[in-house]
Amino acid sequence: MHEWALAEAVIKTAIEKAKEHKIKKINEIDLKIGEMQDIEMDIFKFALDELMKEYGMEVKVNITIQKTRLRCNVCNHEWNFDEFELTEEEKEFVHFLPESIFSYARCPKCGSQYFEIIEGRGVWIEAIRGNDD
Amino acid sequence: MIDARIGVIEERLKNVKRIIAVSSGKGGVGKSMVSAAIALTLAKKYKVGLLDLDFYGPSTHLIINANEKPVEKNGILPPIIDKIKFMSIIYFTEENPAPLKGKDIINAIIELLTITIWDELDFLIIDMPPGMGEEVMAIIKFMKNAEFIVVTTPSILSWETVKKLLIFLRENKCNVVGVIENMVMEKSIENEIKKISNYLGKIGFDENVENCIGEPSKLLESKFGKDVEKIAVKI
């Protein structure tokens, strides 16, 4: 499951950033996940729990899913990810590599492939809270 | 806000001994053929990965005939094709064009580096797109130990552009293994290349190389493959 790879990325990055900011014990992480990552939340949370056990951490992870907004560079139309009609296979590809959306989606208004992902991709750590002792 | 994926890239590549980005300032110099042939040659003795970062024109999958798909297991395990672990955007975009723009290219590279489990490798060969675009910057940013091999042809049109890439790489303190001169007929620019870079060797023009696409063993036995073999020992 590639949710494991992303969960590992969160833990490794949080540990690294905590070190940089002299946080010895991480208590809480605020995480924002783009809708386009299409993460299986049960697997992702399970992976986070298992990895935290491995690293001897006990952290509350607050997860927010960020809706995807796209904007056409030709006609300026804005739309959401759920307005696409992608096949199951295409959804799977976007799940692994969100940027593959550019191969499958078109602006629903003018049909252009020249559009921007304004938000809704990636895995972002918004805040790390902890203490230094 | 921190991109959580970036922290794991180093971890993913920690057991990769050498990363070699095969680049060129110019398109059409045979970079993908050279990348694939170097990977196939090195794979006879070493553990090798091949990553195709030419998002607009991925082609190494055709050269090595990569029909097998990646497997999902705690990330993405690249399929092994002729002893090479292989990864390409083609697995996610198939035959469709991938019109990615600046930050989309960077994001796609971050995602691929985050989810691909290379495990232990002696060499990770990267087939780069032509030019000095986002892909080169991403290599410099996320793969600090990466080395570059630059491919040119003897044509002045190719060499003039390749020189600019070499200057850029030097000014950005990148490690350049050397330059490969490809498609050499009578005229060679070996002496010109030696003035500014290490010369790894020449590959003669092989009119039959097209017939080796999709047949890795035939490629290695070709005149082209034999010339690449002589160069690969210097890497």
Side-chain angles (χ1 to χ4, degrees):
Chain A
M1 297 300 163
H2 104 303
E3 279 77 3
W4 278 84
L6 295 176
E8 193 185 1
V10 169
I11 298 294
K12 294 267 180 195
T13 306
I15 291 171
E16 195 182 299
K17 291 295 163 189
K19 259 187 208 165
E20 275 176 36
H21 292 87
K22 299 191 175 18
I23 296 170
K24 284 192 179 157
K25 187 177 178 297
I26 304 172
N27 298 325
E28 207 167 342
I29 299 171
D30 292 347
L31 207 57
K32 187 165 75 179
I33 300 174
E35 182 187 23
M36 283 175 74
Q37 303 289 140
D38 197 21
I39 280 178
E40 286 272 356
M41 204 44 78
D42 291 348
I43 300 168
F44 183 67
K45 283 180 180 168
F46 178 73
L48 280 176
D49 287 344
E50 291 298 306
L51 286 163
M52 282 194 279
K53 273 185 219 161
E54 202 179 298
Y55 287 93
M57 300 162 79
E58 207 175 318
V59 180
K60 187 181 178 216
V61 183
N62 308 307
I63 301 173
T64 313
I65 299 292
Q66 185 185 44
K67 289 287 284 179
T68 302
R69 280 201 313 130
L70 303 116
R71 183 171 53 220
C72 179
N73 286 319
V74 176
C75 71
N76 289 323
H77 179 66
E78 286 194 15
W79 73 101
N80 295 325
F81 183 55
D82 50 17
E83 289 174 45
F84 290 133
E85 281 187 25
L86 298 178
T87 65
E88 285 307 310
E89 194 181 37
E90 288 167 353
K91 278 183 195 162
E92 183 81 352
F93 292 147
V94 174
H95 163 64
F96 287 120
L97 189 68
E99 287 67 35
S100 62
I101 191 81
F102 291 101
S103 295
Y104 303 110
R106 307 283 185 277
C107 168
K109 198 175 165 194
C110 75
S112 171
Q113 266 179 294
Y114 183 31
F115 60 86
E116 304 284 338
I117 303 168
I118 302 167
E119 53 188 24
R121 72 173 153 195
V123 180
W124 304 92
I125 295 175
E126 290 192 296
I128 300 172
R129 285 179 284 277
N131 43 43
D132 56 7
D133 49 27
Chain B
M1 215 162 50
I2 305 153
D3 189 333
R5 300 169 299 175
I6 288 168
V8 86
I9 292 175
E10 206 177 305
E11 175 75 16
R12 293 278 177 263
L13 298 171
K14 74 174 181 189
N15 295 321
V16 178
K17 288 183 189 152
R18 291 181 69 190
I19 299 170
I20 296 178
V22 180
S23 312
S24 178
K26 201 79 173 164
V29 299
K31 200 167 24 57
S32 298
M33 288 294 278
V34 170
S35 306
I38 287 175
L40 288 163
T41 305
L42 291 173
K44 289 183 193 170
K45 281 191 186 172
Y46 302 100
K47 291 178 186 167
V48 176
L50 176 61
L51 172 63
D52 195 332
L53 283 189
D54 190 351
F55 292 157
Y56 297 137
S59 57
T60 48
H61 62 291
L62 298 171
I63 300 167
I64 65 167
N65 194 19
N67 286 322
E68 287 174 55
K69 300 264 164 99
V71 175
E72 191 181 0
K73 192 182 175 194
N74 294 351
I76 302 287
L77 300 179
I80 298 172
I81 321 282
D82 274 75
K83 295 187 181 173
I84 297 169
K85 289 185 180 174
F86 180 68
M87 182 52 72
S88 166
I89 194 172
I90 206 79
Y91 288 127
F92 312 102
T93 57
E94 298 195 307
E95 301 306 314
N96 301 291
L100 274 58
K101 302 172 294 302
K103 65 182 177 184
D104 307 314
I105 292 171
I106 294 283
N107 266 303
I109 293 174
I110 292 172
E111 194 75 22
L112 281 177
L113 295 178
T114 302
I115 63 175
T116 307
I117 313 290
W118 293 104
D119 207 359
E120 278 186 31
L121 291 179
D122 294 308
F123 293 93
L124 175 60
I125 307 295
I126 306 176
D127 182 28
M128 300 290 288
M132 282 174 273
E134 297 289 351
E135 297 85 349
V136 175
M137 311 306 160
I139 297 288
I140 293 170
K141 183 168 176 174
F142 300 120
M143 300 179 171
K144 297 209 164 29
N145 297 326
E147 303 161 70
F148 287 81
I149 285 179
V150 179
V151 182
T152 186
T153 69
S155 162
I156 190 79
L157 299 179
S158 165
W159 177 234
E160 276 306 302
T161 316
V162 167
K163 266 200 289 192
K164 293 187 178 80
L165 175 64
L166 285 166
I167 292 165
F168 170 81
L169 292 172
R170 191 169 56 211
E171 286 187 0
N172 285 276
K173 299 178 178 56
C174 300
N175 187 355
V176 178
V177 184
V179 176
I180 294 175
E181 190 183 13
N182 191 23
M183 300 183 201
V184 180
M185 296 173 91
E186 280 138 35
K187 180 194 159 196
S188 165
I189 53 165
E190 179 176 349
N191 292 334
E192 284 297 307
I193 294 171
K194 281 178 174 170
K195 282 179 195 167
I196 62 164
S197 184
N198 180 35
Y199 185 76
L200 283 171
K202 58 170 72 72
I203 302 171
F205 183 80
D206 183 352
E207 59 189 16
N208 294 318
V209 77
E210 184 75 15
N211 300 326
C212 303
I213 290 172
E215 295 187 59
S217 52
K218 203 170 154 187
L219 180 66
L220 290 177
E221 288 306 313
S222 68
K223 198 172 104 190
F224 175 89
K226 292 295 174 193
D227 283 347
V228 169
E229 196 175 4
K230 284 182 214 154
I231 292 167
V233 294
K234 298 181 195 167
I235 297 169

